[in-house]
Amino acid sequence: MLYKTDMSASVDRPRVLVVGAGPSGLTAAHRLRGAGFHPVLIDQRDRVGGQIRTRREAGYLMEEGATLLPSAYRPVLRIVEELGLHDALIPAGSRVGFARDGQVHELRSEALFRDAVRSPIVSARSKLALAQLGLVNARIGKHLSYEDLSSAGRWDHETPKRFCERHLGLSGEAYDYLIDSTVRGVLGVRSDTISVVELFFMINNILGTTLYAFRNGYSEYIEALAAGHEVRLGATVRELVETADGVRASYTDADGDHVEEAAAAVVTIRGDRIPDLLPGYFTDPSCEAFLRSLRYTKCVVMNVGVTTPPPGVRASVSNIPESIDPGVMGFTCEHNKAPGRVPDGHGLLAFLAMTEHAERLVREDDDTVREWFLRGAEKVLPGLSDTVDHTRISRWNEVIVYSRPGLYRELGEFVRRRPRGSRIELGGIFWSSSNICTATCSGERAVRDLLPLLRADASPPAGVPVTVGERALDGVA
Ligand SMILES: Cc1cc2nc3c(=O)[nH]c(=O)nc-3n(C[C@H](O)[C@H](O)[C@H](O)COP(=O)(O)OP(=O)(O)OC[C@H]3O[C@@H](n4cnc5c(N)ncnc54)[C@H](O)[C@@H]3O)c2cc1C
């Protein structure tokens, strides 16, 4: 099918397969079209967008998956401009909440450290440690690349917990209520398991910036990005191989098995499944071993429309520390984030489950999940259950790469040893801390790496722009 607008004029151009129509694959397709090629997207789901899905239901505008769009996502914002979507993007409420002692304390995301140091949430001693963390953070900030986080590999030796204890003497309340609860609230994992690089990444590149939202939800961006592309939905790619002058994909859809040939391909599926999809692709066994070692988290989300917004909570996104509830990682208040998401006077919250709990919850029925979330929510927002007007439960079997100390140093080896000059390039989120901007950058980089080969095959039609990501090709701006 052609997605929304008929762009059949591009059908005569060299075809490039894009496996996966999430933000990474859609970005790759956008860049391929801009460079004069005809992308063909293939996705096993019955819709585009991957982990982005906005749903309008019972008067509520709900994000079932991704929700935060920080100003640090500059590559995403550039595409927003290119798509003419500037007016759809609005400033969002940028307060971050930290639950403690029956209250949600608020910090401004663009002034996290300044506000934390002034906040009554932690003691004077912890404030000193936080100020030190702010200084370390400022030093590491410029090394935290969305395109390849092995750039921060030299700091990747320990977990955030160990780093805070050893270098800052930060433990106890400040650690539990600020550091661990932030890691939980953003990533849905514990801070004594992952790489410390993730902590710096999230402070610099996600929370420590101002937030935006799309007026009609994140899917507004996806719809614009997908418009006009040839997309095969409900189609699972089983195998992709390089041939003498192109690539050949085998995929299965409701009509059976198919083979599709093209000049090249971009693969944006989860990393641990890539080696099986691409037999013979990796000549260096360590590359294959690295990808197979990647673990992915799960998440369950409950959007809950309420007749009255919780009183006194002005934050758009709030973290819940383990000591209050070990299972619920945090919640967004969509009515604080952007206007037009709720019926008059109502509120809309989305609660998210930590990965260890989501492992079980993804298999439970809606009633059980609803009850579980409301039990946790009541500990922070007492009385919320009495105001519930509408709920929707969403289950996600793969969300982010579950990092570990050393992962980004291993990524550096992968980047050095990976195949070069192939007709198959890899996008996806394993190149850096997992998020939409990382997915976007990897889609752009995959196309940038393919273009010299594609352009050697055949010159694209004259007059098409050939700028990919930040770099211009062939000297054309
Ligand atoms: C609940 C939740 C909240 C989130 N919140 C945020 C947030 O606030 N901010 C943020 O930046 N990020 C957030 N994320 C993460 C973000 O959505 C992902 O990082 C991003 O979607 C990854 O993009 P991607 O294109 O690499 O992968 P995906 O979005 O997962 O897309 C990959 C696509 O590949 C398809 N596919 C897989 N295998 C095959 C195959 N063999 N054949 C065909 N198709 C295949 C899948 O069906 C999927 O559609 C959140 C995610 C979830 C689930």
Side-chain angles (χ1 to χ4, degrees):
M1 69 182 267
L2 281 167
Y3 204 80
K4 299 279 158 78
T5 324
D6 185 357
M7 294 287 287
S8 42
S10 74
V11 169
D12 296 336
R13 297 174 177 184
R15 289 149 52 84
V16 179
L17 301 181
V18 180
V19 184
S24 187
L26 288 170
T27 300
H30 175 69
R31 291 298 174 214
L32 283 163
R33 183 164 65 193
F37 297 91
H38 177 84
V40 178
L41 287 141
I42 308 183
D43 200 295
Q44 64 190 11
R45 289 189 160 104
D46 60 2
R47 59 173 182 83
V48 294
Q51 294 170 50
I52 295 181
R53 187 176 204 185
T54 311
R55 193 186 281 267
R56 206 179 265 282
E57 208 171 69
Y60 295 100
L61 187 94
M62 300 177 293
E63 297 293 4
E64 292 192 82
T67 179
L68 297 183
L69 173 51
S71 56
Y73 285 9
R74 278 188 285 278
V76 176
L77 298 178
R78 195 167 51 234
I79 295 177
V80 168
E81 287 289 337
E82 290 167 15
L83 294 171
L85 269 185
H86 185 77
D87 289 344
L89 198 67
I90 50 175
S94 288
R95 287 169 198 265
V96 182
F98 293 84
R100 180 167 190 184
D101 303 332
Q103 253 186 292
V104 178
H105 300 263
E106 290 164 12
L107 310 182
R108 290 167 300 164
S109 67
E110 70 278 17
L112 265 192
F113 280 104
R114 225 177 315 141
D115 284 6
V117 167
R118 289 186 189 141
S119 153
I121 194 169
V122 291
S123 69
R125 190 165 160 268
S126 300
K127 284 175 182 172
L128 196 65
L130 280 179
Q132 271 177 294
L133 178 62
L135 292 177
V136 179
N137 201 53
R139 213 173 65 231
I140 297 179
K142 61 177 181 294
H143 300 280
L144 300 168
S145 161
Y146 287 98
E147 193 167 303
D148 171 8
L149 196 49
S150 66
S151 53
R154 57 192 262 236
W155 289 280
D156 182 18
H157 291 279
E158 54 201 339
T159 65
K161 185 172 200 298
R162 188 100 179 94
F163 178 88
C164 288
E165 282 166 358
R166 272 181 4 116
H167 301 281
L168 308 173
L170 191 60
S171 58
E173 39 133 46
Y175 174 77
D176 291 341
Y177 285 102
L178 285 175
I179 308 297
D180 187 51
S181 96
T182 302
V183 170
R184 287 165 51 88
V186 176
L187 298 178
V189 298
R190 294 164 53 99
S191 63
D192 58 358
T193 54
I194 59 167
S195 164
V196 70
V197 169
E198 300 271 9
L199 173 67
F200 292 118
F201 192 94
M202 88 177 57
I203 294 173
N204 277 281
N205 291 357
I206 297 182
L207 286 182
T209 70
T210 51
L211 302 178
Y212 289 108
F214 288 100
R215 204 181 293 282
N216 295 308
Y218 239 127
S219 286
E220 191 169 14
Y221 173 62
I222 292 298
E223 292 289 315
L225 201 51
H229 288 302
E230 184 175 344
V231 183
R232 311 265 155 83
L233 294 176
T236 303
V237 179
R238 307 255 172 236
E239 190 179 271
L240 178 65
V241 291
E242 199 169 348
T243 59
D245 54 359
V247 298
R248 191 175 58 239
S250 315
Y251 71 92
T252 308
D253 65 12
D255 298 328
D257 296 334
H258 309 269
V259 169
E260 179 94 36
E261 299 201 329
V266 174
V267 172
T268 68
I269 71 167
R270 57 188 282 173
D272 55 344
R273 305 249 167 98
I274 289 174
D276 287 338
L277 191 84
L278 306 179
Y281 178 68
F282 295 105
T283 44
D284 186 324
S286 72
C287 290
E288 185 170 330
F290 169 75
L291 289 176
R292 286 194 193 279
S293 78
L294 298 177
R295 291 169 61 208
Y296 284 71
T297 65
K298 293 190 195 300
C299 192
V300 175
V301 181
M302 180 175 77
N303 270 277
V304 50
V306 290
T307 49
T308 322
V313 181
R314 292 175 305 168
S316 295
V317 46
S318 296
N319 306 317
I320 300 181
E322 187 172 35
S323 56
I324 294 184
D325 190 274
V328 183
M329 60 193 248
F331 60 96
T332 61
C333 286
E334 297 292 320
H335 55 275
N336 291 338
K337 193 170 96 184
R341 301 196 165 209
V342 292
D344 275 353
H346 287 220
L348 174 63
L349 298 89
F351 291 88
L352 291 86
M354 295 283 289
T355 186
E356 274 77 13
H357 296 257
E359 292 276 349
R360 175 180 60 81
L361 287 174
V362 287
R363 294 190 302 273
E364 303 279 12
D365 62 51
D366 278 7
D367 287 343
T368 310
V369 174
R370 194 176 299 116
E371 227 176 88
W372 183 87
F373 269 118
L374 288 176
R375 250 196 328 271
E378 282 288 329
K379 296 178 192 169
V380 182
L381 305 170
L384 186 88
S385 310
D386 300 333
T387 63
V388 172
D389 174 44
H390 185 78
T391 55
R392 167 158 289 277
I393 314 283
S394 315
R395 297 167 178 80
W396 299 97
N397 276 306
E398 64 188 72
V399 186
I400 59 163
V401 174
Y402 200 154
S403 79
R404 56 177 186 268
L407 180 78
Y408 294 110
R409 279 182 288 124
E410 289 171 36
L411 174 67
E413 279 303 299
F414 173 85
V415 170
R416 272 187 288 282
R417 294 163 184 250
R418 73 191 172 98
R420 302 285 177 155
S422 165
R423 289 179 179 272
I424 301 174
E425 287 293 340
L426 308 179
I429 46 174
F430 66 85
W431 297 89
S432 181
S433 191
S434 311
N435 57 59
I436 289 165
C437 193
T438 291
T440 300
C441 290
S442 71
E444 292 190 325
R445 206 228 43 258
V447 172
R448 204 165 60 221
D449 287 354
L450 273 182
L451 278 187
L453 205 147
L454 285 172
R455 290 170 64 76
D457 282 353
S459 299
V464 294
V466 289
T467 306
V468 177
E470 280 179 335
R471 295 189 210 169
L473 290 151
D474 296 347
V476 182

